[in-house]
Amino acid sequence: METVNRKKMEQARNSIRFMNGSDVTYAEIKAALEEVIENYGIEAVVEETTLYGGGLFSKEESCLALVNPNHRNDYYKFCIVRRDAGKTCTVDVYSFGQSKNIKHEDFAANTRVFDGSGAMGTVGGMLAGGAIGAGFAIGSAVTGVAKAGFKAVAKGINALMRDPEALEQENAWYSAVYAVFNEVIA
């Protein structure tokens, strides 16, 4: 497993504090996760790895990574970090990596075709600015049409690239992983 960059992680769930922190080790967390993963019958492995980054003087620390072994590079991965705080410890779960399916879904949901809403600004520029205003207005209109064409093409390509079945399977995997976390780290 590659090392995990702290700067590229996102909090995946709230921190859990264990009152007797010395009883909660990475080995115990890993064993508990693997047992529940096996009971659920999901495709996931828990690997020991290293967390780095976060600043010039930051030190590397141990962590666990939970990954789908069949989708190492196209599903998000999870990093489990344990930190001592006096007699207690906290366990945090972060997500990292990338998902082609989620990225495409997000792109499709947020891509809009130019709707002509800049037309009033174009007309206003022509009326208020004379020849210079007209030049800016025409440039604005051309840019708007170009953007609309690009977004329409991108949206069409994106629609062809999405695989609803693969997205459904990926979301089901995340749901199962969160169920594992809820059972083990709660």
Side-chain angles (χ1 to χ4, degrees), residues 45-132:
V45 294
V46 181
E47 302 170 340
E48 296 177 26
T49 188
T50 305
L51 180 64
Y52 74 96
L56 181 62
F57 299 107
S58 66
K59 61 178 183 168
E60 291 185 349
E61 61 183 299
S62 296
C63 65
L64 298 174
L66 188 146
V67 301
N68 185 317
N70 298 320
H71 297 279
R72 284 186 176 275
N73 297 318
D74 57 354
Y75 277 23
Y76 287 106
K77 304 166 193 162
F78 295 92
C79 179
I80 299 99
V81 180
R82 180 200 174 283
R83 292 191 180 95
D84 289 316
K87 292 182 180 181
T88 69
C89 80
T90 58
V91 176
D92 293 292
V93 178
Y94 300 92
S95 62
F96 68 100
Q98 64 183 9
S99 162
K100 292 178 184 174
N101 291 319
I102 302 295
K103 183 171 64 175
H104 290 314
E105 178 189 45
D106 184 51
F107 181 75
N110 292 312
T111 302
R112 292 185 322 208
V113 175
F114 178 74
D115 60 4
S117 61
M120 191 58 191
T122 303
V123 172
M126 291 175 79
L127 294 175
I132 294 173

Side-chain angles (χ1 to χ4, degrees), residues 4-80:
V4 180
N5 185 339
R6 179 179 283 113
K7 292 180 180 180
K8 295 185 178 184
M9 298 187 324
E10 296 289 331
Q11 185 98 28
R13 59 176 289 161
N14 292 333
S15 298
I16 302 294
R17 181 172 305 281
F18 292 91
M19 295 311 293
N20 195 357
S22 61
D23 290 343
V24 181
T25 64
Y26 277 121
E28 290 175 345
I29 295 170
K30 182 179 184 200
L33 287 169
E34 289 172 338
E35 180 181 338
V36 176
I37 287 167
E38 185 177 333
N39 291 342
Y40 279 37
I42 64 172
E43 295 175 353
V45 294
V46 181
E47 302 170 340
E48 296 177 26
T49 188
T50 305
L51 180 64
Y52 74 96
L56 181 62
F57 299 107
S58 66
K59 61 178 183 168
E60 291 185 349
E61 61 183 299
S62 296
C63 65
L64 298 174
L66 188 146
V67 301
N68 185 317
N70 298 320
H71 297 279
R72 284 186 176 275
N73 297 318
D74 57 354
Y75 277 23
Y76 287 106
K77 304 166 193 162
F78 295 92
C79 179
I80 299 99

